[in-house]
Every structure is written in structure tokens, then in C-alpha cells.
Amino acid sequence: MNTRPRTVVALAAVAVLATACTMTTPDPDKVGIVYDAGPMSDTTFQNCIRPGQQDISGPNDEAYVYPNQQRTYDFTGRAESEAKPIHSASKDGVDLSIAGGLAFYMNGADCQLLKAFHEQIGLKYEAYDGGADGKGWGNMLRFYLGNALERAMDEETLKYGWEELHYNRNGAKTKWETAVAAGVATYVQQLTGQPYFTKMTMILRSPEPPANILAAVNASVEAQERNKAQQNENDRIDTKLQSMKKLVDLLGPEGAVLYQAIEDGKVSVIPIPSGGSINVTPPTKK
């Protein structure tokens, strides 16, 4: 019987085949794309890989994995963010620091769109997983999303004074944020030429002026509050003086003093019933 040798040969062939092939399995939130890159052939598109699908390609094939579904562009300046806050000038010439985040969808499930993205943008920036030492995706976002954000913010921020935006006076910040979001979508489309990024939503913090301007405003507010408190105290004193003047006019100086002493609890008043009498014994001198 030669069953055993055939089994060993078959297993060896499978092992050789496995070591000679490329296996790619994107995560559930990612997609892949494969190119035939044999030494004796041109590099040509072969197929796309759906999220979570396992793909086994030839030994010379090249597979690339990209994000799919919702992703974010963080410009708060934190350690894990893609960029620092954006600076734009207000209508009154104040440099405002604007931090926030942009959420968007990457259309990776559309194979033809993924192929176009890879060939137009992905390869140039090495935006696939692991490309450019893991920095390719962020570099790509900074160009396409970051530049679009900066242009939209520069245009819209110039329409408002810094206090309108910072304090959201008359809903200015809400209107400004809506206009910025619309501008970003337009400029991203102009830069890419394709709907690679869709369903963009944005959240922006209140634009921050330089610290010295805020300090000056706070100092002014504090001074105004102190003035208001002093004015209230002056009004109270004036009211009291007017009341005392009326008492003097009505009761005379001594009567007014006695009345005020009674009001302040400094003199006790003992009521005497009608027809009653009271004897007051003066204190004897020692």
C-alpha cells in the first residue's frame, strides 16, 4: 500500500503552496485591494477584498489594506490627534485658535472607488496600513481634509467679530459652524475629484482669542461689577439720607434722633394703657 507516501507528498505540496502565497484578511472595519505584480508581468489590478474576508494571492501579488466606514480627523492638538488647532483671523483682526474634530466615511466598499483612491492618492501618500511607517494615512488626511478645513475657516471667520464667535452672540457660532462644514465638503471634493470621503460632520469648540485679550475682557467685566456694587451702595445711602431728612422735617432734629434710636433698638418703649400711670424714680446720686 502506498497511501502514506502520497499523503506526505500532498501535505508537503500544500505547505510549499502556503509559503509561496500571500494571505490577506482585513479587519471588519477595513477593506483590501490586490495587484498582480509578478516579475514577468506588469502590475495590474486583480481584486478587492471585503471586510473580514480572507484572500490568498500569488507569491508576487501585492495586497493593500485601507480603512473603511467612519473615520475621524482630530485637530485638537492632543497627543493622539492628527493636527493642531487651526488659526484664522476674525473680522476685527484677532487671531483665533479653533480646535475640533471632523467625522467622515471612507467609501472603501465600492471596489472601483477604492481602486481609484489607491492609484490616485493611496500610493502617493502610502496611506494604506503600515505605509510610511504608519504615518501615511495621517499625512494624507492633513493634506486633503486639513487644507479644506483651513480654507473654509479662513473664509467664514472673516465674516464675524471675535466676540460674536467666542460668546456665540445672536447664534453667530452656530451659523459659522454650519457654513464651515459646507465649505469643507466642497473643497474636499475639489481636491480629490471623487467622493472618497462622504457624510462629513463636524464639531468645533468656541474660537479662542489670545490669552491677553481674554484677560483684559475679564478685568473689564470685574471693574464693571465693582462699579455696579458701589453704585448700589451709594443708592442705598442716598435713600437712607432722604428718609432721615423727612423725619427731621416731621419730628424735628431731636425727635428724629429719638425715632431712629427706637428703630435701631437702642431705646425701649413701654406702652402705658389709657388712664394708667407709671412712676419713674430717678436714680439717686452716690
Side-chain angles (χ1 to χ4, degrees):
M1 298 288 292
N2 57 359
T3 303
R4 181 177 178 82
R6 288 182 180 177
T7 302
V8 172
V9 171
L11 290 174
V14 170
V16 171
L17 179 62
T19 56
C21 293
T22 299
M23 183 178 296
T24 306
T25 307
D27 292 337
D29 64 340
K30 296 182 179 181
V31 291
I33 188 168
V34 180
Y35 281 77
D36 181 1
M40 304 300 293
S41 63
D42 296 335
T43 299
T44 57
F45 168 75
Q46 186 164 300
N47 63 280
C48 291
I49 311 172
R50 297 192 304 272
Q53 176 188 7
Q54 185 180 84
D55 179 84
I56 300 176
S57 305
N60 296 307
D61 289 350
E62 296 175 352
Y64 304 89
V65 175
Y66 285 98
N68 186 46
Q69 297 302 315
Q70 190 181 68
R71 290 295 184 269
T72 58
Y73 180 72
D74 184 328
F75 51 99
T76 60
R78 294 175 296 194
E80 67 276 14
S81 63
E82 283 80 20
K84 296 178 180 179
I86 295 170
H87 286 259
S88 293
S90 65
K91 182 171 63 177
D92 40 10
V94 175
D95 178 62
L96 297 176
S97 176
I98 306 162
L102 174 65
F104 62 95
Y105 275 76
M106 169 74 178
N107 285 332
D110 185 322
C111 187
Q112 290 305 310
L113 207 56
L114 176 62
K115 177 177 179 291
F117 175 82
H118 172 71
E119 296 175 1
Q120 177 192 351
I121 296 174
L123 284 173
K124 179 170 61 178
Y125 286 92
E126 296 184 27
Y128 42 83
D129 278 13
D133 295 327
K135 299 177 181 178
W137 178 258
N139 292 338
M140 181 273 298
L141 292 182
R142 277 185 285 275
F143 181 81
Y144 289 98
L145 299 187
N147 281 318
L149 274 165
E150 289 181 15
R151 179 175 176 182
M153 285 185 182
D154 285 346
E155 291 179 351
E156 297 304 325
T157 304
L158 279 172
K159 299 176 182 178
Y160 298 91
W162 78 266
E163 290 181 286
E164 292 180 278
L165 295 178
H166 181 71
Y167 297 109
N168 195 23
R169 290 178 178 167
N170 299 317
K173 178 181 178 292
T174 304
K175 298 173 187 175
W176 165 79
E177 188 169 346
T178 300
V180 169
V184 169
T186 298
Y187 297 137
V188 169
Q189 177 67 22
Q190 288 179 1
L191 283 171
T192 62
Q194 295 287 344
Y196 300 134
F197 309 121
T198 61
K199 302 178 184 179
M200 284 182 277
T201 57
M202 186 164 44
I203 182 168
L204 299 176
R205 297 181 185 173
S206 293
E208 289 290 324
N212 63 322
I213 290 182
L214 277 183
V217 170
N218 291 335
S220 176
V221 171
E222 290 175 4
Q224 291 175 12
E225 292 303 316
R226 286 195 297 270
N227 289 338
K228 287 180 182 178
Q230 186 60 54
Q231 185 61 48
N232 290 337
E233 179 64 12
N234 293 342
D235 292 343
R236 186 188 69 79
I237 294 174
D238 288 343
T239 301
K240 186 174 183 179
L241 289 174
Q242 291 296 326
S243 298
M244 291 181 66
K245 184 177 182 301
K246 290 180 181 180
L247 283 174
V248 170
D249 293 342
L250 180 64
L251 303 175
E254 294 181 356
V257 171
L258 178 60
Y259 179 84
Q260 190 61 50
I262 294 171
E263 285 290 301
D264 294 340
K266 297 177 181 178
V267 175
S268 299
V269 178
I270 303 175
I272 301 174
S274 178
S277 62
I278 183 171
N279 295 323
V280 178
T281 305
T284 57
K285 296 181 179 181
K286 297 183 178 179

